[in-house]
Amino acid sequence: MPIDLSEVPTHELMKEIQHRLDCGNKPDKRVILIGPPGCGKGTQSPRIKYEHCLCHLATGDMLRAAVAAKTPLGLEAKKAMDAGALVSDDIVVGLIEEATQQPECAKGFILDGFPRTVVQAKKLDEMLAKRGQGIDKVLDFVVPDALLVERVTGRWVHPGSGRSYHEKFAPPKVTGVDDITGEPLIKRKDDNADTLKARLAAFHSQTTPVIEHYAKKVVVLKADRPQDEVARSIAAALA
Ligand code: AP5
């Protein structure tokens, strides 16, 4: 059965067709977003995804979906996530290996929250080398720890899409409701000041070495500025 598009306005259809045609001419890109919790990786991803025709793979979102579905993987990951610790390398590498082969990732991908350890980075490099591919850019989102508490504790999330809002910096049009779907927003269980301390400690000890691992591909972004300014720096870095 063909999909019924009769309700979709013609100009929207034309825009989508033009976008898909433009995508055909874009170069492939494989980009890593790295930075502490609340630095804006999830906020900036949809725009990068649209402009460069990439898929957005966020290991945190994938793990939260597995926890919500109570799969064996989700049950194993939950304890570490609630404590602000990292889940095992094998779990996340397996998720990414499978996800990067989806048709949606044909032009490349944005990795958001992966790799988070040097072991994960090396496994990713090996996996891509086998496919004759490699990472093109690593965007290092730098935000002082002191600012992250307010960002993380004020965050509201649309669980279905992973869209992030902030009660002060990026409020939804209607309080507590997703702008696109009208569905309710939730607070993440790990978005509290105590768990954030553990997440920051994990970032500084285990993830900072990943930035050194990719030193030649890293672009440092000052991410403690308004979202549009950060977006402009990203556009320049990926041009
Ligand atoms: P994950 O979901 O990846 O969490 P995270 O890395 O801690 O990152 P966040 O999602 O908290 O932050 P973000 O940078 O996306 O910020 P956002 O854009 O929403 O991981 C969760 C857990 O899963 C981990 O602790 C771990 O247990 C496990 N896990 C995941 N990946 C793993 C891996 N590879 N290995 C092992 N374990 C793994 O922005 C935050 C807020 O700030 C929002 O409210 C937003 O509106 C606001 N904001 C954004 N930009 C700005 C700006 N420029 N100015 C003002 N406000 C802003």
Side-chain angles (χ1 to χ4, degrees), residues 90-163:
D90 286 343
I91 287 185
V92 284
V93 169
L95 285 174
I96 288 293
E97 180 144 34
E98 195 181 323
T100 48
Q101 297 182 63
Q102 297 165 19
E104 219 202 326
C105 302
K107 299 294 287 180
F109 48 71
I110 307 159
L111 297 180
D112 164 358
F114 179 93
R116 252 176 158 97
T117 64
V118 172
V119 172
Q120 292 176 19
K122 287 183 176 165
K123 290 194 175 184
L124 171 68
D125 296 344
E126 278 167 27
M127 182 185 95
L128 293 177
K130 278 189 202 148
R131 300 179 195 166
Q133 299 171 344
I135 293 299
D136 297 301
K137 283 267 159 64
V138 176
L139 304 183
D140 173 16
F141 286 57
V142 178
V143 179
D145 286 6
L147 284 184
L148 297 170
V149 181
E150 189 179 19
R151 284 215 192 165
V152 162
T153 55
R155 169 165 55 188
W156 287 87
V157 178
H158 175 241
S161 65
R163 265 186 293 283

Side-chain angles (χ1 to χ4, degrees), residues 44-83:
Q44 296 293 339
S45 289
R47 200 178 323 206
I48 307 172
K49 171 182 165 159
Y50 185 79
E51 282 171 10
H52 297 276
C53 313
L54 307 175
C55 66
H56 172 216
L57 304 178
T59 38
D61 290 347
M62 293 177 193
L63 290 167
R64 277 184 290 279
V67 170
K70 296 195 168 69
T71 64
L73 185 153
L75 294 175
E76 196 181 330
K78 186 175 185 313
K79 213 170 145 199
M81 293 175 79
D82 287 350

Side-chain angles (χ1 to χ4, degrees), residues 35-44 58-61 63-64 77 80-82 84-89 92 112-117 120 141 150-152 154-157 162-167 169-170 188 190-191 196 199 223-228 230:
C39 67
K41 305 180 292 291
T43 298
Q44 296 293 339
T59 38
D61 290 347
L63 290 167
R64 277 184 290 279
M81 293 175 79
D82 287 350
L86 297 186
V87 307
S88 82
D89 290 331
V92 284
D112 164 358
F114 179 93
R116 252 176 158 97
T117 64
Q120 292 176 19
F141 286 57
E150 189 179 19
R151 284 215 192 165
V152 162
R155 169 165 55 188
W156 287 87
V157 178
R163 265 186 293 283
S164 280
Y165 298 87
H166 192 280
E167 52 200 29
F169 305 126
R188 268 170 50 177
D190 58 349
D191 276 353
L196 179 63
R199 289 162 65 195
D224 57 348
R225 296 171 295 151
Q227 290 182 15
D228 283 348
V230 178

